[in-house]
Amino acid sequence: MEFYPKDDLDISFIKPNIESKIQQIYSGCHIFLTGSTGFIGKFLLEKLLRSCDIAQVYILIRQKKGMASDERLEYLFQSVFFERLLIANKNARNLITLIEGDLTLPDLGLSQGDLNILHNKIDFVFHCAATLNMMEHLRTAININVNATMFLLEQAKLMKKLKAFVYVSTAYSHAMLYNIEEKFYPTKYNAEEIKLIVNTNNDDQLTALTPQLLEDWPNTYVFTKAIAENLVSTYHEIPVVVVRPAQIISSVFEPLKGYVDNIYGPIATTLGAATGFLKVWSCDGNVKSFVIPVDIVVNSILSIAWYTVSYKTNSTENLLRVFNLVPSKDKIISINHNFEKFREVFCKEKVYSSYTIGPYNMKCVKNESLYRFFFILFHVIPPFFVDVVLKLFGYKQRVLPIYRKVYLANKILAYFCTKDYNFSDKNSGKLWSLMNSKDKEIFNFDQNSYTYEEYYRNCVRGGRVYLTKDPMDTVPAATKRYKRVIFLNILFKAAFYLIIGIFFINFI
């Protein structure tokens, strides 16, 4: 697949610079990274290999869906995402050592040899792995998000060379609050207590107990992240710091503009709206949209680890230990404004998708009853008739089940889309003020360095090319398809209203 944009093909490898204090911190170091196949982890791995003269990075990967961990690693590096890195630095692949492990297993399934590596070689730990499934069973969520974190923190105490441990949480770990500061918050249960509850109840009992355990937390994901943060706060003897990213979206600068390959959260909603798949979404369109580019997050994480090393003392009391990675004040816009910006790029610049099934006219609906009405009108009745036609032609029913999943997902996400949060992000400002000009250039997380207009333009094109595998040279054909879809949409509406009219005339 060709790169996008075509004029963004600088494959120069960022050589270690004597002026960069951050590069110096990582020079010759051994890194342990979890979640390297995930969105943040992938960007973090690429940035370390491209911008830092590291000795080795050890990545934890599990077997998944019949694919061995080494196969998953090879598959990861076949992506266009790493192509420019491998062209610029042919030795990059040799700097990676695979450690097979699974966060759901006792001791993560690590061998004694693996543990010896952690204890004797590791300088930095970046713990990015987690289950992001908000509908995850509490046992699984606790095992992955809490117990695995506890195990790694315990191992960190045995790491002879450890300089910093970065735990990646979420800005919504305490989602029931409206004002979220950069500090640790108490939880009703600590990690040991919740672990005991999980271990002394079977799955059915735990399912029944979950609403009572969660209390004000809306789902098991943010609940377990909050407990993990509380756990981190108790480890004063190691240099550990928590980063809380907001909703992460496409890259703004590096390594590829507009790169995204994950369908979740705001990315999934925008894609659904752009292709005409989504017509209505349960949210308050006037509340603030807290989205942040993934490369801004990664540069922040690497800079935060540098800060932790450079400014730690014998005590962690005066060390900044929690960072909310959220959009800066001038980058905060409403959900409605966010969707409208994307719509402008799609429609005014005619960057239509080859997979369009309807016009981009999704509406945000705050009232739950009204949302259900529109959902039935747009996402139940038409798919029902489509499934009937598919069945008549011998195909399996397949559209309604998809919208059923959409409804359940929206039901969970609506909690976050109807609250106007205020996040403190003073620590990021303090960190930026401590960095020199060279570090600000290489590890740039200044959100004033780009405009939303430029960003949305690259997001749309990048999402088209990298996420949906729809090259830019298909735009002319996609435009013709869009016009046909609009015409058919008008015909369908006319037929639908005609049938409704006939029904009312004859039976009412």
Side-chain angles (χ1 to χ4, degrees):
M1 182 186 300
E2 67 179 14
F3 292 114
Y4 170 76
K6 290 183 178 180
D7 59 353
D8 186 30
L9 289 173
D10 178 18
I11 58 173
S12 59
F13 183 62
I14 301 180
K15 301 293 184 183
N17 191 295
I18 194 171
E19 297 177 30
S20 172
K21 294 182 179 180
I22 296 180
Q23 284 186 329
Q24 289 175 27
I25 283 290
Y26 291 111
S27 180
C29 284
H30 293 77
I31 315 291
F32 180 63
L33 170 64
T34 70
S36 60
T37 58
F39 198 38
I40 294 180
K42 180 186 300 183
F43 272 82
L44 189 56
L45 176 61
E46 192 276 342
K47 181 70 175 184
L48 282 167
L49 293 172
R50 177 167 51 88
S51 302
C52 302
D53 187 23
I54 59 173
Q56 199 75 12
V57 56
Y58 299 85
I59 60 176
L60 185 76
I61 299 182
R62 65 185 173 101
Q63 297 180 26
K64 186 178 181 181
K65 296 179 180 178
M67 186 179 287
S69 54
D70 57 340
E71 293 175 327
R72 293 186 68 200
L73 176 58
E74 293 308 317
Y75 180 77
L76 179 68
F77 271 84
Q78 290 171 10
S79 167
V80 65
F81 179 78
F82 287 101
E83 192 168 330
R84 296 201 302 176
L85 167 68
L86 296 176
I87 292 172
N89 181 17
K90 293 181 173 57
N91 188 49
R93 180 63 183 81
N94 297 326
L95 298 177
I96 298 174
T97 297
L98 169 67
I99 294 181
E100 185 174 339
D102 189 329
L103 269 62
T104 63
L105 298 177
D107 298 344
L108 312 191
L110 301 182
S111 67
Q112 187 57 51
D114 297 330
L115 294 177
N116 289 339
I117 290 174
L118 297 185
H119 298 162
N120 298 315
K121 289 189 174 183
I122 299 303
D123 298 284
F124 290 90
V125 175
F126 295 99
H127 183 29
C128 304
T131 173
L132 307 180
N133 184 358
M134 296 184 182
M135 295 183 282
E136 193 75 81
H137 190 276
L138 184 59
R139 185 183 307 281
T140 303
I142 290 293
N143 283 338
I144 295 175
N145 293 346
V146 179
N147 294 345
T149 303
M150 182 187 298
F151 175 77
L152 287 176
L153 287 168
E154 286 299 313
Q155 299 312 306
K157 293 195 296 187
L158 303 175
M159 295 179 187
K160 300 172 183 177
K161 299 171 59 183
L162 183 67
K163 295 179 179 178
F165 185 119
V166 179
Y167 174 66
V168 179
S169 185
T170 170
Y172 300 95
S173 55
H174 293 272
M176 62 283 194
L177 304 177
Y178 282 90
N179 298 302
I180 300 175
E181 299 179 28
E182 293 174 297
K183 67 178 185 179
F184 290 109
Y185 288 92
T187 54
K188 182 176 180 180
Y189 304 97
N190 63 35
E192 289 291 351
E193 290 169 339
I194 200 69
K195 183 178 180 180
L196 179 63
I197 292 172
V198 168
N199 290 340
T200 54
N201 288 276
N202 62 36
D203 284 352
D204 291 338
Q205 291 170 328
L206 204 54
T207 298
L209 279 173
T210 295
Q212 177 185 338
L213 295 172
L214 263 56
E215 288 190 326
D216 296 330
W217 275 271
N219 55 66
T220 57
Y221 168 61
V222 293
F223 174 69
T224 52
K225 280 295 190 179
I227 292 177
E229 283 188 16
N230 181 266
L231 173 67
V232 169
S233 72
T234 65
Y235 281 77
H236 300 285
E237 64 271 47
I238 60 175
V240 58
V241 62
V242 171
V243 296
R244 295 179 181 149
Q247 300 176 70
I248 301 173
I249 52 176
S250 314
S251 58
V252 62
F253 292 123
E254 54 178 324
L256 296 164
K257 292 181 180 179
Y259 186 88
V260 62
D261 61 7
N262 267 0
I263 302 180
Y264 69 94
I267 296 170
T269 310
T270 303
L271 178 63
T275 56
F277 182 79
L278 284 180
K279 299 297 182 187
V280 60
W281 192 249
S282 178
C283 68
D284 183 350
N286 295 317
V287 305
K288 295 187 284 288
S289 174
F290 286 93
V291 294
I292 186 167
V294 61
D295 50 334
I296 297 294
V297 170
V298 164
N299 283 335
S300 297
I301 289 173
L302 291 172
S303 302
I304 289 167
W306 160 79
Y307 161 81
T308 304
V309 175
S310 302
Y311 290 87
K312 70 180 179 182
T313 61
N314 293 330
S315 171
T316 59
E317 291 182 6
N318 297 320
L319 194 68
L320 303 179
R321 298 189 69 200
V322 180
F323 290 78
N324 290 338
L325 306 184
V326 296
S328 55
K329 287 182 173 56
D330 64 322
K331 288 294 188 292
I332 298 175
I333 59 177
S334 70
I335 293 176
N336 274 336
H337 193 188
N338 186 53
F339 283 126
E340 187 57 35
K341 284 287 187 181
F342 276 111
R343 189 176 186 278
E344 285 179 14
V345 176
F346 273 105
C347 300
K348 290 186 178 180
E349 299 191 14
K350 303 187 186 308
V351 191
Y352 301 117
S353 169
S354 297
Y355 307 106
T356 296
I357 62 172
Y360 189 150
N361 58 2
M362 191 190 77
K363 301 296 182 184
C364 295
V365 179
K366 181 180 179 180
N367 183 277
E368 188 174 345
S369 298
L370 196 58
Y371 166 71
R372 289 176 181 173
F373 169 77
F374 282 122
F375 192 91
I376 292 171
L377 184 64
F378 294 119
H379 294 159
V380 174
I381 296 175
F384 171 78
F385 285 110
V386 170
D387 280 351
V388 169
V389 172
L390 290 173
K391 191 171 184 178
L392 289 174
F393 282 91
Y395 294 97
K396 288 182 66 176
Q397 294 179 341
R398 56 182 180 178
V399 182
L400 264 179
I402 296 175
Y403 278 107
R404 189 176 295 115
K405 291 180 180 179
V406 169
Y407 180 81
L408 292 174
N410 193 183
K411 189 176 180 180
I412 292 173
L413 293 173
Y415 179 93
F416 305 95
C417 301
T418 53
K419 295 183 68 174
D420 231 347
Y421 290 101
N422 288 301
F423 293 98
S424 170
D425 63 345
K426 294 179 181 178
N427 288 350
S428 291
K430 293 177 182 177
L431 172 63
W432 185 254
S433 69
L434 295 172
M435 294 166 59
N436 65 33
S437 58
K438 180 54 66 174
D439 283 330
K440 288 179 179 179
E441 175 189 338
I442 299 174
F443 301 93
N444 178 25
F445 59 86
D446 179 16
Q447 296 180 55
N448 292 320
S449 59
Y450 63 93
T451 65
Y452 255 144
E453 287 69 24
E454 173 192 11
Y455 179 61
Y456 281 112
R457 195 171 293 113
N458 285 324
C459 273
V460 169
R461 288 162 171 77
R464 193 181 198 279
V465 173
Y466 303 122
L467 182 59
T468 64
K469 306 296 188 290
D470 194 6
M472 292 301 293
D473 56 16
T474 65
V475 168
T479 302
K480 292 179 181 179
R481 174 188 172 90
Y482 185 81
K483 291 178 180 179
R484 290 196 300 269
V485 166
I486 294 297
F487 178 71
L488 291 173
N489 188 263
I490 293 172
L491 284 182
F492 178 82
K493 284 183 178 179
F496 177 76
Y497 290 130
L498 179 62
I499 293 171
I500 295 296
I502 293 172
F503 175 81
F504 271 89
I505 291 172
N506 288 280
F507 298 100
I508 296 181

